[in-house]
Amino acid sequence: MSIKLLTWLSTYIIIFLCELGDKTQLAVLLFTSNNPREKWNIFLASSLALILCVIVEVTLGVSLARYIGPNVVNRIAGGVFLLLGVLIFFKSLNIKEKLVRIINEKIIAKARKSPANSENIPISLQIKANEDY
Amino acid sequence: MFKWRFFLSTLGVVFLSEMGDKTQITTLLLAGSKPTYVIWVALGSATALICTSFCEVIIGSHIIARYFKPKTINLVSAFIFCVLGILLVFGVIGNINLY
């Protein structure tokens, strides 16, 4: 076995073991379980991101790490994760759909109360309100 | 149809979360210790990362998505992302001092 293949194999094993149970793994796992139909899309995106990371590490990494440092980058990643968590949480509550439904009901109720003012109400809702009579 | 939304969001999140990670530090040190075989270090690291992401995709879509409701997954993933974000912002995890 040549030294090139040995280098490849040792890096492979070390990185594979390092990556198990990592936060990147957790993120990809959650993404695919959220959208199982998009698994090949997500696989493509995550492998592309990881390859880009490897390129950054191998080329710029050594000199860049001296100026920025992993701590700052970790903070930025933490901020993005927090934002993502809050967004997914609000998405799972279906707040937008509920709000739209409540507003529609209010408009219809208003139309029922005073049919004379129905010029201000959109036509589709007018029809719905009239059908209810 | 190719869905750019999922693609770009996964790309951004994985790229950011991989930055400053222990995998990155390891690759950095390996590349620094073997400067002549940098390409082979990069190839080994890239193949290992692709294999792990393949495992994650298969586990996530075939096991987790099959046995849990979408709403439960959404809530749990929101919670986990929030916890990870807070821990990262306050420097509890992912703090590796090289110097």
Side-chain angles (χ1 to χ4, degrees), chain B:
Chain B
M1 202 187 108
F2 194 72
K3 288 183 178 165
W4 285 101
R5 206 172 129 256
F6 290 113
F7 183 78
L8 287 178
S9 61
T10 312
L11 190 80
V13 167
V14 170
F15 190 79
L16 257 180
S17 73
E18 194 58 29
M19 280 291 181
D21 206 10
K22 61 176 186 283
T23 323
Q24 194 188 26
I25 308 294
T26 317
T27 314
L28 230 140
L29 293 175
L30 280 170
S33 68
K34 286 170 184 160
T36 1
Y37 302 107
V38 149
I39 292 173
W40 293 93
V41 170
L43 270 179
S45 176
T47 41
L49 291 168
I50 290 168
C51 286
T52 49
S53 76
F54 182 77
C55 295
E56 289 147 27
V57 165
I58 293 298
I59 290 170
S61 63
H62 282 248
I63 296 172
I64 296 179
R66 183 169 293 174
Y67 294 112
F68 294 96
K69 286 178 192 168
K71 202 174 180 187
T72 322
I73 297 171
N74 260 327
L75 278 175
V76 170
S77 62
F79 179 70
I80 290 177
F81 273 126
C82 279
V83 168
L84 272 178
I86 290 167
L87 288 180
L88 279 168
V89 166
F90 289 104
V92 180
I93 57 166
N95 249 339
I96 299 167
N97 289 320
L98 269 182
Y99 319 109

Coordinates of all heavy atoms in Angstrom, one line a residue, chain B:
Chain B
M1 N -39.0 18.9 -11.0 CA -38.5 20.2 -10.7 C -37.5 20.3 -9.6 O -37.7 19.6 -8.6 CB -39.7 21.1 -10.4 CG -39.5 22.6 -10.7 SD -40.9 23.5 -10.1 CE -40.1 24.3 -8.7
F2 N -36.4 21.0 -9.8 CA -35.4 21.1 -8.7 C -35.8 22.2 -7.7 O -36.1 23.3 -8.1 CB -34.1 21.4 -9.4 CG -32.9 21.2 -8.5 CD1 -32.5 19.9 -8.1 CD2 -32.3 22.3 -7.9 CE1 -31.5 19.7 -7.3 CE2 -31.2 22.1 -7.1 CZ -30.8 20.8 -6.7
K3 N -35.9 21.8 -6.5 CA -36.3 22.8 -5.5 C -35.1 23.5 -4.8 O -34.4 22.9 -4.0 CB -37.1 22.0 -4.4 CG -38.5 21.7 -5.0 CD -39.4 21.0 -4.0 CE -40.7 20.7 -4.6 NZ -41.5 19.8 -3.8
W4 N -34.9 24.7 -5.3 CA -33.8 25.5 -4.8 C -33.8 25.8 -3.4 O -32.8 26.1 -2.7 CB -33.6 26.7 -5.7 CG -33.1 26.4 -7.0 CD1 -33.8 26.4 -8.2 CD2 -31.8 26.1 -7.4 NE1 -33.0 26.0 -9.2 CE2 -31.7 25.9 -8.8 CE3 -30.5 26.0 -6.7 CZ2 -30.6 25.5 -9.5 CZ3 -29.4 25.7 -7.4 CH2 -29.4 25.5 -8.8
R5 N -35.1 25.9 -2.8 CA -35.2 26.4 -1.4 C -34.5 25.4 -0.5 O -33.7 25.8 0.3 CB -36.7 26.5 -1.1 CG -37.0 27.5 0.0 CD -38.4 27.7 0.2 NE -38.8 27.5 1.5 CZ -39.4 26.5 2.0 NH1 -39.8 25.5 1.2 NH2 -39.8 26.4 3.2
F6 N -34.9 24.1 -0.7 CA -34.3 23.1 0.2 C -32.8 23.0 0.0 O -32.0 22.9 0.9 CB -34.9 21.7 -0.1 CG -36.3 21.6 0.4 CD1 -37.3 21.5 -0.6 CD2 -36.6 21.6 1.7 CE1 -38.6 21.4 -0.1 CE2 -37.9 21.6 2.1 CZ -38.9 21.4 1.2
F7 N -32.4 23.1 -1.3 CA -31.0 22.9 -1.6 C -30.1 24.0 -1.0 O -29.2 23.8 -0.3 CB -30.8 23.0 -3.2 CG -29.4 22.8 -3.7 CD1 -28.9 21.6 -3.7 CD2 -28.7 23.9 -4.0 CE1 -27.6 21.4 -4.2 CE2 -27.4 23.7 -4.5 CZ -26.8 22.5 -4.6
L8 N -30.6 25.3 -1.1 CA -29.8 26.4 -0.6 C -29.8 26.5 0.9 O -28.8 26.8 1.5 CB -30.3 27.7 -1.2 CG -30.0 27.9 -2.7 CD1 -30.5 29.2 -3.2 CD2 -28.5 27.9 -2.9
S9 N -31.0 26.1 1.5 CA -31.0 26.2 3.0 C -30.1 25.1 3.6 O -29.4 25.4 4.5 CB -32.4 26.1 3.5 OG -33.0 24.9 3.1
T10 N -30.2 23.9 3.0 CA -29.3 22.8 3.5 C -27.8 23.2 3.3 O -27.0 23.0 4.2 CB -29.6 21.5 2.8 OG1 -31.0 21.3 2.8 CG2 -28.9 20.4 3.5
L11 N -27.5 23.7 2.1 CA -26.1 24.1 1.8 C -25.6 25.1 2.8 O -24.6 24.9 3.4 CB -26.1 24.7 0.4 CG -24.7 25.0 -0.2 CD1 -24.1 23.7 -0.7 CD2 -24.8 26.0 -1.3
G12 N -26.4 26.2 3.1 CA -26.0 27.2 4.0 C -25.8 26.7 5.4 O -24.8 26.9 6.1
V13 N -26.8 25.9 5.9 CA -26.8 25.5 7.3 C -25.6 24.5 7.5 O -24.9 24.6 8.5 CB -28.1 24.8 7.7 CG1 -28.0 24.1 9.0 CG2 -29.2 25.9 7.8
V14 N -25.5 23.5 6.6 CA -24.4 22.6 6.8 C -23.0 23.2 6.7 O -22.1 22.9 7.5 CB -24.5 21.4 5.7 CG1 -23.3 20.5 5.7 CG2 -25.8 20.6 6.1
F15 N -22.9 24.2 5.7 CA -21.6 24.8 5.6 C -21.3 25.6 6.9 O -20.1 25.5 7.4 CB -21.7 25.8 4.4 CG -20.4 26.4 4.0 CD1 -19.5 25.7 3.2 CD2 -20.0 27.7 4.4 CE1 -18.2 26.2 2.9 CE2 -18.8 28.2 4.0 CZ -17.9 27.5 3.3
L16 N -22.3 26.3 7.4 CA -22.0 27.1 8.6 C -21.7 26.2 9.8 O -20.9 26.5 10.6 CB -23.2 28.0 8.9 CG -23.1 29.5 8.5 CD1 -24.3 30.2 8.8 CD2 -21.9 30.1 9.2
S17 N -22.5 25.1 9.9 CA -22.3 24.3 11.1 C -21.0 23.5 11.0 O -20.5 23.1 12.1 CB -23.5 23.4 11.3 OG -23.5 22.4 10.4
E18 N -20.6 23.3 9.8 CA -19.3 22.6 9.7 C -18.1 23.4 10.0 O -17.0 23.0 10.4 CB -19.2 22.0 8.3 CG -18.1 21.0 8.1 CD -18.3 19.8 9.0 OE1 -19.4 19.5 9.4 OE2 -17.3 19.2 9.4
M19 N -18.3 24.8 9.8 CA -17.2 25.7 10.1 C -16.9 25.7 11.6 O -17.8 25.9 12.4 CB -17.6 27.1 9.7 CG -17.5 27.3 8.2 SD -15.7 27.3 7.8 CE -15.8 27.6 6.1
G20 N -15.6 25.6 11.9 CA -15.2 25.7 13.3 C -15.6 24.4 14.1 O -15.7 24.5 15.3
D21 N -15.8 23.4 13.4 CA -16.2 22.1 14.0 C -15.0 21.3 14.3 O -13.9 21.6 13.8 CB -17.2 21.4 13.0 CG -18.1 20.5 13.8 OD1 -18.1 20.5 15.0 OD2 -18.7 19.7 13.1
K22 N -15.2 20.2 15.0 CA -14.0 19.3 15.3 C -13.5 18.6 14.1 O -12.3 18.3 13.9 CB -14.3 18.4 16.4 CG -15.4 17.4 16.2 CD -15.5 16.4 17.4 CE -16.5 15.3 17.2 NZ -17.9 15.7 17.4
T23 N -14.4 18.3 13.1 CA -14.0 17.7 11.9 C -13.1 18.7 11.1 O -12.1 18.2 10.6 CB -15.2 17.4 11.0 OG1 -16.3 17.0 11.8 CG2 -14.9 16.4 10.0
Q24 N -13.4 19.9 11.1 CA -12.6 20.9 10.4 C -11.2 21.0 11.0 O -10.2 21.1 10.3 CB -13.3 22.3 10.4 CG -12.7 23.2 9.4 CD -13.2 24.6 9.6 OE1 -13.7 25.0 10.7 NE2 -13.2 25.4 8.5
I25 N -11.2 21.0 12.4 CA -9.9 21.1 13.1 C -9.1 19.9 12.7 O -7.9 20.0 12.5 CB -10.2 21.2 14.6 CG1 -11.1 22.4 14.9 CG2 -8.8 21.5 15.3 CD1 -10.7 23.7 14.6
T26 N -9.7 18.7 12.7 CA -9.0 17.5 12.4 C -8.4 17.6 11.0 O -7.2 17.2 10.8 CB -9.9 16.3 12.6 OG1 -10.7 16.5 13.7 CG2 -9.1 15.0 12.7
T27 N -9.2 18.0 10.0 CA -8.7 18.0 8.7 C -7.6 19.0 8.6 O -6.6 18.8 7.9 CB -9.8 18.4 7.7 OG1 -11.0 17.7 8.0 CG2 -9.5 18.1 6.3
L28 N -7.8 20.2 9.3 CA -6.7 21.2 9.2 C -5.4 20.7 9.8 O -4.4 20.8 9.1 CB -7.2 22.3 10.1 CG -7.2 23.7 9.6 CD1 -8.4 24.5 10.1 CD2 -5.9 24.4 10.1
L29 N -5.5 19.9 10.9 CA -4.2 19.4 11.5 C -3.6 18.3 10.6 O -2.4 18.3 10.4 CB -4.5 18.9 12.9 CG -4.9 19.9 13.9 CD1 -5.3 19.3 15.2 CD2 -3.8 20.9 14.1
L30 N -4.5 17.5 10.0 CA -4.0 16.4 9.2 C -3.3 17.0 7.9 O -2.2 16.6 7.5 CB -5.1 15.5 8.7 CG -5.5 14.4 9.8 CD1 -6.8 13.8 9.3 CD2 -4.4 13.4 9.9
A31 N -4.0 18.0 7.3 CA -3.4 18.7 6.2 C -2.1 19.4 6.5 O -1.1 19.4 5.7 CB -4.3 19.7 5.6
G32 N -2.0 19.9 7.7 CA -0.8 20.6 8.2 C 0.3 19.6 8.4 O 1.5 19.9 8.2
S33 N 0.0 18.4 8.9 CA 1.0 17.4 9.3 C 1.5 16.7 8.0 O 2.6 16.2 8.1 CB 0.5 16.4 10.3 OG -0.5 15.6 9.7
K34 N 0.7 16.7 6.9 CA 1.2 16.0 5.7 C 1.1 17.0 4.5 O 0.2 16.8 3.7 CB 0.4 14.8 5.5 CG 0.8 13.6 6.4 CD -0.1 12.5 6.3 CE 0.3 11.4 7.4 NZ -0.8 10.5 7.6
P35 N 1.9 18.0 4.5 CA 1.7 19.0 3.4 C 1.9 18.5 2.0 O 1.4 19.0 1.0 CB 2.8 20.1 3.7 CG 3.3 19.7 5.1 CD 3.0 18.3 5.3
T36 N 2.8 17.4 1.9 CA 3.0 16.8 0.5 C 1.8 16.1 0.0 O 1.6 16.0 -1.2 CB 4.2 15.9 0.6 OG1 4.7 15.8 1.9 CG2 5.3 16.4 -0.3
Y37 N 1.0 15.5 0.9 CA -0.1 14.7 0.4 C -1.5 15.4 0.8 O -2.4 14.7 1.2 CB -0.1 13.3 1.1 CG 1.2 12.6 0.7 CD1 2.2 12.4 1.7 CD2 1.4 12.1 -0.5 CE1 3.4 11.8 1.4 CE2 2.6 11.5 -0.9 CZ 3.6 11.3 0.1 OH 4.7 10.7 -0.2
V38 N -1.5 16.7 0.6 CA -2.7 17.5 0.9 C -3.9 17.0 0.1 O -5.0 16.9 0.6 CB -2.4 19.0 0.7 CG1 -3.6 19.7 0.3 CG2 -1.8 19.6 2.0
I39 N -3.7 16.7 -1.2 CA -4.8 16.3 -2.0 C -5.4 15.0 -1.5 O -6.6 14.8 -1.5 CB -4.3 16.1 -3.5 CG1 -3.9 17.5 -4.0 CG2 -5.3 15.5 -4.3 CD1 -3.3 17.4 -5.4
W40 N -4.6 14.1 -1.0 CA -5.1 12.8 -0.5 C -5.8 13.0 0.8 O -6.8 12.3 1.0 CB -4.0 11.8 -0.4 CG -3.5 11.4 -1.8 CD1 -2.5 12.0 -2.5 CD2 -4.1 10.5 -2.7 NE1 -2.4 11.4 -3.7 CE2 -3.3 10.5 -3.9 CE3 -5.2 9.6 -2.6 CZ2 -3.7 9.7 -5.0 CZ3 -5.5 8.8 -3.7 CH2 -4.7 8.9 -4.9
V41 N -5.3 13.9 1.6 CA -6.1 14.2 2.8 C -7.4 14.8 2.5 O -8.5 14.4 3.0 CB -5.3 15.2 3.7 CG1 -6.1 15.8 4.8 CG2 -4.0 14.6 4.2
A42 N -7.5 15.7 1.5 CA -8.7 16.3 1.1 C -9.7 15.3 0.5 O -10.9 15.3 0.8 CB -8.5 17.4 0.0
L43 N -9.1 14.4 -0.3 CA -10.0 13.3 -0.9 C -10.6 12.4 0.2 O -11.8 12.1 0.2 CB -9.2 12.5 -1.9 CG -9.1 13.0 -3.3 CD1 -8.3 12.1 -4.2 CD2 -10.6 13.0 -3.9
G44 N -9.7 12.0 1.1 CA -10.2 11.1 2.2 C -11.3 11.8 3.0 O -12.3 11.2 3.3
S45 N -11.0 13.1 3.4 CA -12.0 13.9 4.2 C -13.3 14.0 3.4 O -14.4 13.8 3.9 CB -11.4 15.2 4.5 OG -12.3 16.0 5.1
A46 N -13.2 14.3 2.1 CA -14.5 14.5 1.3 C -15.3 13.2 1.2 O -16.5 13.2 1.3 CB -14.1 15.0 -0.1
T47 N -14.6 12.1 0.9 CA -15.3 10.8 0.8 C -16.0 10.5 2.1 O -17.1 10.0 2.1 CB -14.4 9.7 0.3 OG1 -13.2 9.8 0.9 CG2 -14.2 9.8 -1.2
A48 N -15.2 10.7 3.2 CA -15.8 10.3 4.5 C -17.1 11.2 4.8 O -18.1 10.6 5.3 CB -14.8 10.5 5.6
L49 N -17.0 12.4 4.5 CA -18.1 13.3 4.7 C -19.3 13.0 3.9 O -20.5 13.0 4.3 CB -17.7 14.8 4.5 CG -16.7 15.3 5.6 CD1 -16.1 16.6 5.1 CD2 -17.4 15.4 6.9
I50 N -19.1 12.6 2.6 CA -20.2 12.2 1.7 C -20.8 10.9 2.2 O -22.1 10.8 2.3 CB -19.7 12.0 0.3 CG1 -19.3 13.4 -0.3 CG2 -20.7 11.4 -0.6 CD1 -18.6 13.3 -1.6
C51 N -20.0 10.0 2.7 CA -20.6 8.7 3.2 C -21.4 9.0 4.4 O -22.5 8.4 4.6 CB -19.4 7.8 3.6 SG -18.7 7.0 2.1
T52 N -20.9 9.9 5.4 CA -21.7 10.1 6.6 C -23.0 10.8 6.2 O -24.1 10.5 6.8 CB -21.0 11.0 7.6 OG1 -20.4 12.1 6.9 CG2 -19.9 10.2 8.3
S53 N -23.0 11.8 5.2 CA -24.2 12.5 4.9 C -25.2 11.5 4.2 O -26.4 11.6 4.4 CB -24.0 13.7 4.0 OG -23.7 13.4 2.7
F54 N -24.7 10.5 3.5 CA -25.5 9.5 2.9 C -26.3 8.7 4.0 O -27.5 8.5 4.0 CB -24.7 8.5 2.0 CG -25.5 7.5 1.3 CD1 -26.3 7.8 0.2 CD2 -25.5 6.2 1.8 CE1 -27.0 6.8 -0.4 CE2 -26.2 5.2 1.2 CZ -27.0 5.5 0.1
C55 N -25.5 8.3 5.0 CA -26.1 7.6 6.2 C -27.2 8.4 6.8 O -28.3 7.9 7.1 CB -25.0 7.2 7.2 SG -23.8 6.1 6.7
E56 N -26.9 9.7 7.0 CA -27.8 10.6 7.7 C -29.1 10.7 6.9 O -30.2 10.6 7.4 CB -27.2 12.0 7.8 CG -26.2 12.1 8.9 CD -25.1 13.1 8.5 OE1 -25.4 14.0 7.7 OE2 -24.0 12.9 8.9
V57 N -29.0 10.9 5.5 CA -30.2 11.0 4.7 C -31.0 9.7 4.8 O -32.2 9.8 4.9 CB -29.7 11.3 3.2 CG1 -30.8 11.1 2.3 CG2 -29.2 12.7 3.2
I58 N -30.4 8.6 4.7 CA -31.1 7.3 4.7 C -31.8 7.1 6.0 O -33.0 6.8 6.1 CB -30.2 6.1 4.4 CG1 -29.7 6.2 3.0 CG2 -30.9 4.8 4.6 CD1 -30.7 6.1 1.9
I59 N -31.1 7.4 7.1 CA -31.7 7.2 8.5 C -32.9 8.2 8.6 O -34.0 7.8 9.1 CB -30.7 7.4 9.6 CG1 -29.7 6.3 9.6 CG2 -31.3 7.5 10.9 CD1 -28.5 6.5 10.4
G60 N -32.6 9.5 8.3 CA -33.7 10.5 8.5 C -34.9 10.2 7.7 O -36.0 10.3 8.2
S61 N -34.8 9.8 6.4 CA -36.0 9.7 5.6 C -36.7 8.3 5.8 O -37.9 8.2 5.6 CB -35.6 9.9 4.1 OG -34.7 8.9 3.7
H62 N -35.9 7.3 6.1 CA -36.5 5.9 6.1 C -36.9 5.5 7.5 O -37.8 4.7 7.7 CB -35.6 4.9 5.5 CG -35.6 4.9 4.0 ND1 -36.1 3.9 3.3 CD2 -35.2 5.8 3.2 CE1 -36.0 4.2 2.0 NE2 -35.4 5.4 1.9
I63 N -36.2 6.0 8.5 CA -36.6 5.5 9.9 C -37.3 6.6 10.7 O -38.4 6.4 11.2 CB -35.3 5.1 10.6 CG1 -34.6 3.9 9.9 CG2 -35.6 4.7 12.1 CD1 -33.3 3.6 10.4
I64 N -36.7 7.8 10.8 CA -37.4 8.8 11.6 C -38.7 9.3 11.0 O -39.7 9.4 11.7 CB -36.4 10.0 11.8 CG1 -35.2 9.5 12.6 CG2 -37.1 11.1 12.6 CD1 -34.2 10.6 12.8
A65 N -38.7 9.5 9.6 CA -39.9 10.1 9.0 C -41.0 9.0 9.0 O -42.2 9.4 8.8 CB -39.6 10.5 7.6
R66 N -40.7 7.7 9.1 CA -41.7 6.7 9.0 C -42.4 6.5 10.3 O -43.6 6.2 10.3 CB -41.0 5.4 8.5 CG -42.1 4.3 8.3 CD -41.4 3.1 7.6 NE -41.1 3.4 6.3 CZ -40.4 2.5 5.5 NH1 -40.0 1.4 6.0 NH2 -40.1 2.9 4.3
Y67 N -41.7 6.6 11.4 CA -42.3 6.3 12.7 C -42.8 7.5 13.5 O -43.3 7.3 14.6 CB -41.3 5.5 13.5 CG -41.0 4.1 12.9 CD1 -39.7 3.8 12.3 CD2 -42.0 3.2 12.8 CE1 -39.5 2.6 11.7 CE2 -41.7 2.0 12.2 CZ -40.5 1.7 11.7 OH -40.3 0.5 11.1
F68 N -42.5 8.7 13.0 CA -43.0 9.8 13.8 C -43.9 10.7 12.9 O -43.7 10.8 11.7 CB -41.8 10.7 14.3 CG -41.0 9.9 15.3 CD1 -39.9 9.2 15.0 CD2 -41.4 9.9 16.7 CE1 -39.1 8.5 15.9 CE2 -40.7 9.2 17.6 CZ -39.5 8.5 17.2
K69 N -44.8 11.5 13.6 CA -45.7 12.4 12.8 C -44.9 13.6 12.4 O -43.9 14.0 13.1 CB -46.8 12.8 13.7 CG -47.9 11.8 14.0 CD -48.9 12.3 14.9 CE -49.8 11.2 15.4 NZ -50.7 11.7 16.5
P70 N -45.3 14.2 11.3 CA -44.5 15.4 10.8 C -44.5 16.5 11.8 O -43.5 17.3 12.0 CB -45.3 15.8 9.6 CG -46.0 14.6 9.1 CD -46.3 13.8 10.3
K71 N -45.7 16.7 12.6 CA -45.7 17.8 13.6 C -44.7 17.5 14.7 O -44.1 18.5 15.2 CB -47.2 17.9 14.1 CG -47.4 19.3 14.7 CD -48.8 19.5 15.0 CE -49.0 20.9 15.6 NZ -50.3 21.1 16.2
T72 N -44.7 16.3 15.1 CA -43.7 16.0 16.2 C -42.3 16.2 15.8 O -41.5 16.8 16.5 CB -43.8 14.5 16.6 OG1 -45.2 14.1 16.5 CG2 -43.3 14.2 17.9
I73 N -42.0 15.8 14.5 CA -40.6 16.0 14.0 C -40.3 17.5 13.9 O -39.2 18.0 14.3 CB -40.5 15.4 12.6 CG1 -40.6 13.9 12.7 CG2 -39.1 15.7 12.0 CD1 -40.7 13.2 11.4
N74 N -41.3 18.3 13.5 CA -41.1 19.8 13.4 C -40.8 20.4 14.8 O -39.9 21.1 14.9 CB -42.4 20.4 12.8 CG -42.2 20.7 11.4 OD1 -41.1 21.0 10.9 ND2 -43.3 20.6 10.6
L75 N -41.7 20.0 15.8 CA -41.5 20.6 17.1 C -40.1 20.2 17.7 O -39.4 21.0 18.2 CB -42.6 20.1 18.0 CG -43.9 20.9 17.9 CD1 -45.0 20.3 18.8 CD2 -43.7 22.3 18.3
V76 N -39.8 18.9 17.5 CA -38.5 18.4 18.1 C -37.3 19.0 17.4 O -36.4 19.5 18.1 CB -38.4 16.8 18.0 CG1 -37.0 16.3 18.3 CG2 -39.4 16.2 18.9
S77 N -37.4 19.2 16.1 CA -36.3 19.8 15.4 C -36.1 21.3 15.7 O -35.0 21.8 15.9 CB -36.4 19.6 13.9 OG -37.5 20.2 13.3
A78 N -37.3 22.0 15.9 CA -37.2 23.4 16.3 C -36.5 23.5 17.6 O -35.7 24.3 17.9 CB -38.6 23.9 16.3
F79 N -36.9 22.6 18.6 CA -36.4 22.6 19.9 C -34.9 22.3 19.9 O -34.1 23.0 20.5 CB -37.1 21.5 20.8 CG -36.6 21.4 22.2 CD1 -36.8 22.5 23.1 CD2 -35.9 20.3 22.6 CE1 -36.4 22.4 24.4 CE2 -35.4 20.3 23.9 CZ -35.6 21.3 24.8
I80 N -34.5 21.3 19.1 CA -33.1 20.9 19.0 C -32.2 22.1 18.4 O -31.1 22.4 18.9 CB -32.9 19.6 18.3 CG1 -33.4 18.5 19.1 CG2 -31.4 19.3 18.0 CD1 -33.4 17.1 18.4
F81 N -32.8 22.7 17.3 CA -32.1 23.8 16.7 C -31.9 24.9 17.7 O -30.8 25.6 17.7 CB -32.8 24.3 15.4 CG -32.4 23.5 14.2 CD1 -33.3 22.9 13.4 CD2 -31.1 23.4 13.8 CE1 -33.0 22.2 12.3 CE2 -30.7 22.7 12.7 CZ -31.6 22.1 11.9
C82 N -33.0 25.2 18.5 CA -32.9 26.3 19.4 C -31.8 26.0 20.5 O -31.0 26.9 20.8 CB -34.2 26.5 20.1 SG -35.3 27.5 19.1
V83 N -31.8 24.8 21.0 CA -30.9 24.4 22.1 C -29.4 24.5 21.5 O -28.5 25.0 22.2 CB -31.2 23.0 22.6 CG1 -30.1 22.5 23.4 CG2 -32.5 23.0 23.4
L84 N -29.2 23.9 20.3 CA -27.9 24.0 19.7 C -27.4 25.4 19.5 O -26.3 25.7 19.8 CB -27.9 23.2 18.3 CG -27.7 21.7 18.4 CD1 -27.7 21.2 17.0 CD2 -26.3 21.4 18.9
G85 N -28.4 26.3 19.0 CA -28.0 27.7 18.8 C -27.6 28.3 20.1 O -26.6 29.0 20.1
I86 N -28.4 28.1 21.2 CA -28.1 28.8 22.4 C -26.7 28.3 22.9 O -25.9 29.1 23.4 CB -29.2 28.5 23.5 CG1 -30.5 29.3 23.1 CG2 -28.8 28.9 24.9 CD1 -31.7 28.8 23.8
L87 N -26.5 27.0 22.9 CA -25.3 26.4 23.3 C -24.1 27.0 22.6 O -23.0 27.2 23.1 CB -25.3 24.9 23.3 CG -26.2 24.2 24.3 CD1 -26.1 22.7 24.1 CD2 -25.8 24.5 25.7
L88 N -24.3 27.1 21.2 CA -23.2 27.6 20.4 C -22.9 29.1 20.7 O -21.8 29.5 20.7 CB -23.5 27.4 18.9 CG -23.3 26.0 18.3 CD1 -23.9 25.9 17.0 CD2 -21.8 25.8 18.2
V89 N -24.0 29.9 20.9 CA -23.8 31.3 21.1 C -23.1 31.5 22.4 O -22.2 32.4 22.5 CB -25.2 32.0 21.1 CG1 -25.1 33.4 21.6 CG2 -25.7 32.1 19.6
F90 N -23.5 30.8 23.4 CA -22.8 31.0 24.7 C -21.5 30.2 24.9 O -21.0 30.2 26.0 CB -23.8 30.7 25.8 CG -24.9 31.7 25.9 CD1 -26.2 31.4 25.5 CD2 -24.6 32.9 26.5 CE1 -27.2 32.4 25.5 CE2 -25.6 33.9 26.5 CZ -26.9 33.6 26.1
G91 N -21.1 29.5 23.8 CA -19.8 28.9 23.8 C -19.7 27.6 24.7 O -18.6 27.3 25.2
V92 N -20.8 26.9 24.9 CA -20.8 25.7 25.7 C -20.2 24.6 24.9 O -19.4 23.8 25.4 CB -22.2 25.4 26.3 CG1 -22.1 24.1 27.2 CG2 -22.7 26.5 27.1
I93 N -20.7 24.5 23.7 CA -20.1 23.4 22.8 C -19.4 24.0 21.6 O -19.5 25.2 21.3 CB -21.2 22.5 22.2 CG1 -22.3 23.3 21.5 CG2 -21.9 21.7 23.3 CD1 -23.2 22.5 20.6
G94 N -18.5 23.2 21.0 CA -17.8 23.6 19.8 C -16.7 24.6 20.1 O -16.1 25.2 19.2
N95 N -16.3 24.7 21.4 CA -15.2 25.6 21.7 C -13.9 24.8 21.7 O -13.6 24.0 22.6 CB -15.4 26.2 23.1 CG -15.6 27.6 23.0 OD1 -15.3 28.3 22.0 ND2 -16.3 28.2 24.1
I96 N -13.1 25.0 20.6 CA -11.9 24.3 20.6 C -10.7 25.3 20.5 O -10.7 26.1 19.5 CB -11.8 23.3 19.3 CG1 -12.9 22.3 19.5 CG2 -10.5 22.6 19.2 CD1 -13.1 21.5 18.2
N97 N -9.9 25.3 21.5 CA -8.8 26.3 21.5 C -7.5 25.6 20.8 O -7.0 24.6 21.3 CB -8.5 26.7 22.9 CG -9.6 27.6 23.4 OD1 -10.1 28.4 22.7 ND2 -10.0 27.4 24.7
L98 N -7.1 26.2 19.7 CA -6.0 25.6 19.0 C -4.7 26.1 19.6 O -3.7 25.5 19.5 CB -6.1 26.0 17.5 CG -6.8 25.1 16.6 CD1 -6.7 25.6 15.2 CD2 -6.2 23.7 16.6
Y99 N -4.7 27.3 20.2 CA -3.5 27.9 20.6 C -3.3 27.9 22.1 O -4.2 28.1 22.8 CB -3.4 29.4 20.1 CG -3.9 29.5 18.7 CD1 -5.2 30.1 18.4 CD2 -3.3 28.9 17.6 CE1 -5.7 30.2 17.2 CE2 -3.8 29.0 16.3 CZ -5.0 29.6 16.1 OH -5.5 29.7 14.9

